[in-house]
Amino acid sequence: QVQLVESGGGLVQPGGSLRLSCEASGSIFSMEAMGWYREAPEKERELVGSISSSGRIKYKDSVKGRFTISRDNAKNTVYLEMNSLKPEDTAVYYCYAEAMVVPWLEATEYWGEGTLVTVSS
């Protein structure tokens, strides 16, 4: 099994910054893509950003230039640096990881429990 633990959410004023972290632990043979989704009240969950094992990065258009995703492969940890935060960034942020637990099985997607980010004055 693989567990994901997020940290770093909280309340921040518009224009402020937060850094989210998500560490994966457990029986991990290989870590593939990692990333972040978010879910705002009464909205569908949406991809914020992802980073492949080779470092290829994708972002949601509305966060480009403000958010930066990175990962530490040695620690199986993914980060989301969020700057110039806006009220519309308010949501529960979920990290995910595609992990192989044994070499003969395809990667499985695992999810964290979510961390709340509130952008408000």
Side-chain angles (χ1 to χ4, degrees):
Q1 261 307 355
V2 177
Q3 297 81 39
L4 302 182
V5 178
E6 300 126 330
S7 61
L11 173 65
V12 64
Q13 293 186 343
S17 299
L18 281 176
R19 188 188 194 215
L20 306 182
S21 300
C22 174
E23 181 178 6
S25 62
S27 179
I28 300 171
F29 172 77
S30 174
M31 186 67 76
E32 306 300 318
M34 303 182 79
W36 295 90
Y37 278 73
R38 69 185 182 188
E39 188 171 329
E42 301 182 355
K43 292 188 177 180
E44 292 186 354
R45 190 173 295 191
E46 60 184 9
L47 177 67
V48 177
S50 65
I51 181 168
S52 72
S53 57
S54 62
R56 183 180 300 177
I57 292 174
K58 296 181 181 179
Y59 292 110
K60 176 180 172 59
D61 283 346
S62 63
V63 308
K64 288 180 180 178
R66 299 189 297 123
F67 291 10
T68 302
I69 191 170
S70 61
R71 62 190 282 174
D72 184 331
N73 291 327
K75 297 180 179 179
N76 285 325
T77 299
V78 62
Y79 305 96
L80 186 67
E81 184 76 34
M82 304 184 293
N83 298 313
S84 302
L85 282 160
K86 304 175 181 180
E88 50 264 43
D89 295 318
T90 295
V92 177
Y93 284 70
Y94 298 90
C95 76
Y96 78 94
E98 297 174 357
M100 295 175 62
V101 295
V102 291
W104 55 85
L105 292 177
E106 293 183 355
T108 300
E109 200 168 74
Y110 297 89
W111 290 85
E113 294 187 350
T115 184
L116 178 62
V117 172
T118 303
V119 184
S120 175
S121 55

